[in-house]
Amino acid sequence: QEQVVESGGGEVQPGGSLRLSCQVSAILFSSNDAGWFRQAPGRQREKVALITSTGSTDYADSVKGRFTISRDNIKDTLYLEMSSLKPEDTAVYYCKVTETYTNGEALEFWGQGTQVTVAS
């Protein structure tokens, strides 16, 4: 059964750092695109960072220069390094893997989310 499990969230002071991990199983991770999204209370879920199967990355303007997305295809793990954290980064962070098939269809697999709280 396909699984996407995030970890690494927590509470940190403004200016601090956190590293999120997303362990993927039963999905051909290395061949598929993945990304991090977040949802703050009362707001819609938004893209944070994306990484393609070949390693190309894309970031939301609000996190450029502060967050880095990466992947380890041997460990089937997606990472998000977050630094210079701000209170507005407080949200539940979700990992998503998009499995694309040769017929063009795609399935999205989401994790359960991990809470990141930035507060003094």
Side-chain angles (χ1 to χ4, degrees), residues 4 27 37 96-101 106-110:
V4 177
I27 300 172
F37 295 74
K96 183 183 80 168
V97 178
T98 302
E99 192 166 48
T100 304
Y101 304 98
L107 280 179
E108 295 181 345
F109 298 93
W110 290 88

Side-chain angles (χ1 to χ4, degrees), residues 3 11 23 27 32 41 49 61 78-79 83-84 91 100 107 110:
Q3 280 194 315
E11 185 165 344
Q23 180 68 56
I27 300 172
N32 293 292
D61 288 342
L78 183 71
Y79 301 100
S83 62
S84 302
T100 304
L107 280 179
W110 290 88

Side-chain angles (χ1 to χ4, degrees), residues 30-81:
S30 62
S31 300
N32 293 292
D33 300 343
W36 289 96
F37 295 74
R38 67 186 180 187
Q39 187 167 18
R43 301 188 65 175
Q44 289 188 331
R45 191 173 297 189
E46 62 178 2
K47 177 196 77 177
V48 175
L50 304 174
I51 186 166
T52 67
S53 59
T54 56
S56 297
T57 58
D58 179 55
Y59 295 92
D61 288 342
S62 58
V63 307
K64 281 181 181 176
R66 300 188 298 122
F67 291 11
T68 301
I69 188 172
S70 61
R71 62 192 300 160
D72 184 331
N73 290 335
I74 302 299
K75 296 182 178 179
D76 287 345
T77 304
L78 183 71
Y79 301 100
L80 186 68
E81 297 274 3

Side-chain angles (χ1 to χ4, degrees), residues 15-27:
S17 300
L18 278 176
R19 186 196 200 199
L20 304 184
S21 299
C22 173
Q23 180 68 56
V24 178
S25 58
I27 300 172

Side-chain angles (χ1 to χ4, degrees), residues 87-98:
E88 50 263 44
D89 294 318
T90 295
V92 178
Y93 283 70
Y94 297 90
C95 171
K96 183 183 80 168
V97 178
T98 302

